[in-house]
Amino acid sequence: MGAADPTTEPFWAACARHRLIVQRCTGCGVHQHYPRPYCLTCDGRDMEWADTTGRGTIYALTVMRLPVIPELVPPYLLALVDLDEGVRMLTNIEGDTARIGDRVMLMWRDRTGGLPPLPVFRVAP
Ligand SMILES: [Zn+2]
């Protein structure tokens, strides 16, 4: 993942400042993620960026037991998280256990090699 795409560059630039932002359509007000050059709801082309609360709910969850990328050593929790803003993100849940429906909160995983930090989540206390 990187910042080569002009559609996703603002997202990664915000990650570098530990801000999780999502697109919002100025026409219909719907949030969407991942970033696209147009609105999936109304086909509008005027998208802005909105901060998120970093709070959400686990929609789906699985334990990854095979290595996919070197920085994630199995086993680890892979989840679809519904942010409170109404968008669904594929992400990593820190820790060993979580359940569908758990409330989660954003945290940041800094990376080496000039890569932007990754937004990940942990179960909210
Ligand atoms: Zn729209």
Side-chain angles (χ1 to χ4, degrees):
M1 286 179 273
D5 181 335
T7 303
T8 58
E9 194 280 331
F11 175 83
W12 291 112
C15 286
R17 302 192 307 277
H18 287 186
R19 285 176 56 215
L20 180 61
I21 60 174
V22 296
Q23 282 183 316
R24 181 172 53 210
C25 174
T26 62
C28 71
V30 167
H31 293 84
Q32 72 181 17
H33 180 80
Y34 55 93
R36 298 170 177 89
Y38 58 91
C39 173
L40 290 178
T41 301
C42 75
D43 206 34
R45 294 299 194 265
D46 191 11
M47 307 299 293
E48 63 183 4
W49 293 95
D51 277 308
T52 66
T53 60
R55 300 278 178 160
T57 304
I58 296 176
Y59 170 79
L61 183 71
T62 191
V63 180
M64 293 294 287
R65 300 189 187 280
L66 295 172
V68 178
I69 55 175
E71 65 190 277
L72 280 173
V73 177
Y76 60 90
L77 297 174
L78 186 69
L80 287 170
V81 167
D82 287 341
L83 295 184
D84 290 353
E85 289 74 20
V87 302
R88 188 164 287 165
M89 287 188 68
L90 182 66
T91 187
N92 175 219
I93 306 293
E94 288 274 336
D96 299 327
T97 58
R99 292 162 46 156
I100 290 171
D102 279 353
R103 291 288 291 165
V104 292
M105 54 191 299
L106 175 66
M107 53 186 296
W108 291 96
R109 182 177 302 139
D110 290 317
R111 299 190 290 173
T112 58
L115 296 169
L118 280 183
V120 298
F121 289 82
R122 66 178 173 85
V123 176

